Amino acid sequence: MSEYMKEYKNVAEQFCLQGEVTEICPYGEGHINLTLLVTTTEKRYIMQKMNTRVFSDPDSLMANIVGVTKHLTARGIETLNVVPTKSGADFLKDADCYRVYDFIENTVTYQSASDIEVFKNSGKAFGEFQNYLAEFDASKLTETIKRFHDTPKRFADFKAALAEDKLGRAKECQEEINFILSHENTYGIAMDGLKDGSLPLRVTHNDTKLNNILMDAETGAARAVIDLDTIMPGSMLFDFGDSIRFGASTAAEDEKDLSKVHFDINLFKAYAEGYCGAVKDSITAREAELLPYGSYLMTIECGMRFLTDYLAGDTYFATKYPGHNLVRCRTQIRLASEMEAQFEEMGKIIADILA
Ligand code: ADP
Ligand code: GN1
Ligand code: MG
């Protein structure tokens, strides 16, 4: 019996599973929840120890997920299926909180967009997901992490961590710190637009990286958008931008060799074709104009979040080795600076697609 099995079998058995549990092992590459693959004599499940440090109100979080998944299921759209506990609850609430989903079989998640068609398909799926959410009553949603993509707020958090420099790490990353500090005047455009109404507030996914969508293992078509923890009001720029941040790169988010890390305009174009094709009836002219900026913003925001966590002692994102967050920050800075240099070209691509 594996170590994981011993530790988590009792937890798994508190859910309405079909069959007897035969194996439990860690699964996937998420940075927030502890994800476990549970195999029984009948089928497979995903069990997650929910990160209650990041999501402090698990009841509201699960109510959001149940609400959104019911909305999608009623429309015949494949989505996560929440498996209840034996006492009929949507999750197990104890010292730790756990939830279980059916494992969506015959799908894969990609850690990078090695296939341009797959990336285009993911753009179409996230665009369609945006459309489905537009029909969802936003008043039924709780904001699970306040000011999640409020970049000026993220910048203030970064400056606080830098001022504290709790572990004396700032001296190891002066170049990265200076990059983040020197771009302060670029951080406010999306939040300003939401505040003055020039950008519409929508219900968005907010964490649209490529490994948060399951693709059909045989056809490469998108099957289901997952990781629904951060669905809340936001801007279309966040969803488009975060996908570009992660997927339109020639390397992994944590590639150490920066010479391999580039923003790939062809991947940008492929994603934009998929996404814009799906949202063409609802996207406003201002949103379309700011999609290149949104890509840059989500990238530099993520870079500053990784750097903040590095300075604060790696307490937010799961890390596999010391310095992992700094490595991630460096790839984001590299990508953001390459995007900055290509705003015009990106803008032309979007305009052509929507023409
Ligand atoms: P995190 O919030 O930590 O990113 P996710 O909910 O994204 O956690 O899950 C982590 C990974 O687990 C996903 O990237 C995906 O590979 C896999 N996964 C999650 N849910 C399912 C599911 N229902 N079926 C198949 N794979 C899943
Ligand atoms: C986290 O949960 P996951 O691994 O899909 C993070 C995102 C970051 C991303 C960087 C709730 O996403 O905001 O962009 O890591 N999620 C949360 O890879 O903070
Ligand atoms: Mg995830």
Side-chain angles (χ1 to χ4, degrees), residues 27-35 46 48 80 99 101-105 107 109 111 207 209 211-212 214 226-229:
Y27 191 80
E29 297 286 332
H31 297 342
I32 302 296
N33 298 296
L34 172 68
T35 301
I46 286 287
Q48 290 183 319
L80 292 170
R99 65 184 168 206
Y101 296 123
D102 284 326
F103 188 91
I104 303 183
E105 296 287 352
T107 59
T109 38
Q111 304 310 323
D207 189 2
K209 62 180 174 178
N211 65 16
N212 285 332
L214 302 176
I226 59 166
D227 204 344
L228 308 177
D229 295 337

Side-chain angles (χ1 to χ4, degrees), residues 144-196:
T144 53
I145 300 179
K146 298 241 182 293
R147 304 176 73 183
F148 190 58
H149 283 308
D150 180 337
T151 314
K153 156 76 166 58
R154 296 288 188 182
F155 182 60
D157 293 346
F158 162 74
K159 283 197 297 186
L162 177 60
E164 190 178 0
D165 193 18
K166 172 151 120 190
L167 300 171
R169 288 177 167 178
K171 60 183 178 304
E172 297 159 28
C173 42
Q174 273 310 314
E175 211 180 306
E176 291 77 16
I177 290 168
N178 289 338
F179 188 92
I180 301 294
L181 290 174
S182 66
H183 285 70
E184 177 174 7
N185 67 346
T186 66
Y187 299 150
I189 298 171
M191 289 313 295
D192 288 348
L194 288 172
K195 276 180 210 143
D196 69 22

Side-chain angles (χ1 to χ4, degrees), residues 52-340:
T52 47
R53 206 169 23 81
V54 167
F55 297 103
S56 54
D57 180 358
D59 289 281
S60 302
L61 169 77
M62 286 310 290
N64 280 2
I65 292 180
V66 168
V68 169
T69 53
K70 276 192 179 147
H71 172 86
L72 296 172
T73 306
R75 282 156 184 76
I77 296 144
E78 190 167 14
T79 184
L80 292 170
N81 181 49
V82 177
V83 176
T85 68
K86 285 181 175 161
S87 54
D90 294 324
F91 70 107
L92 195 67
K93 197 175 171 187
D94 211 326
D96 291 314
C97 293
Y98 291 86
R99 65 184 168 206
V100 170
Y101 296 123
D102 284 326
F103 188 91
I104 303 183
E105 296 287 352
N106 302 315
T107 59
V108 281
T109 38
Y110 290 87
Q111 304 310 323
S112 67
S114 43
D115 183 322
I116 202 156
E117 275 306 305
V118 166
F119 194 44
K120 183 174 176 174
N121 290 343
S122 79
K124 179 168 178 276
F126 277 123
E128 286 168 351
F129 192 75
Q130 170 81 83
N131 296 336
Y132 302 136
L133 291 178
E135 301 157 9
F136 189 78
D137 179 359
S139 69
K140 291 199 178 120
L141 283 176
T142 301
E143 208 179 350
T144 53
I145 300 179
K146 298 241 182 293
R147 304 176 73 183
F148 190 58
H149 283 308
D150 180 337
T151 314
K153 156 76 166 58
R154 296 288 188 182
F155 182 60
D157 293 346
F158 162 74
K159 283 197 297 186
L162 177 60
E164 190 178 0
D165 193 18
K166 172 151 120 190
L167 300 171
R169 288 177 167 178
K171 60 183 178 304
E172 297 159 28
C173 42
Q174 273 310 314
E175 211 180 306
E176 291 77 16
I177 290 168
N178 289 338
F179 188 92
I180 301 294
L181 290 174
S182 66
H183 285 70
E184 177 174 7
N185 67 346
T186 66
Y187 299 150
I189 298 171
M191 289 313 295
D192 288 348
L194 288 172
K195 276 180 210 143
D196 69 22
S198 57
L199 285 173
L201 187 66
R202 301 175 182 276
V203 179
T204 46
H205 180 284
N206 295 302
D207 189 2
T208 52
K209 62 180 174 178
L210 188 57
N211 65 16
N212 285 332
I213 186 165
L214 302 176
M215 315 298 291
D216 192 279
E218 276 148 45
T219 66
R223 286 271 299 278
V225 170
I226 59 166
D227 204 344
L228 308 177
D229 295 337
T230 51
I231 290 182
M232 44 189 168
S235 163
M236 193 186 272
L237 305 191
F238 304 157
D239 280 5
F240 181 86
D242 197 53
S243 289
I244 297 300
R245 170 192 82 72
F246 187 85
S249 169
T250 53
E253 189 184 63
D254 60 354
E255 173 58 56
K256 287 181 184 157
D257 179 355
L258 281 184
S259 71
K260 294 186 180 153
V261 182
H262 297 289
F263 167 59
D264 184 330
I265 195 93
N266 292 318
L267 285 169
F268 173 87
K269 181 165 181 272
Y271 188 90
E273 283 169 358
Y275 187 89
C276 293
V279 301
K280 61 181 183 325
D281 294 336
S282 58
I283 191 169
T284 68
R286 183 65 177 151
E287 284 174 319
E289 185 190 340
L290 286 179
L291 289 183
Y293 166 77
S295 308
Y296 156 84
L297 186 69
M298 288 300 96
T299 308
I300 198 158
E301 180 191 275
C302 198
M304 93 177 60
R305 290 175 63 197
F306 287 141
L307 192 53
T308 304
D309 199 30
Y310 180 67
L311 293 171
D314 306 311
T315 60
Y316 185 93
F317 296 104
T319 50
K320 290 189 176 148
Y321 54 87
H324 200 169
N325 272 318
L326 182 56
V327 167
R328 290 170 174 152
C329 160
R330 288 183 173 139
T331 63
Q332 302 308 292
I333 286 180
R334 160 63 61 102
L335 294 168
S337 60
E338 291 193 358
M339 287 176 193
E340 256 187 314

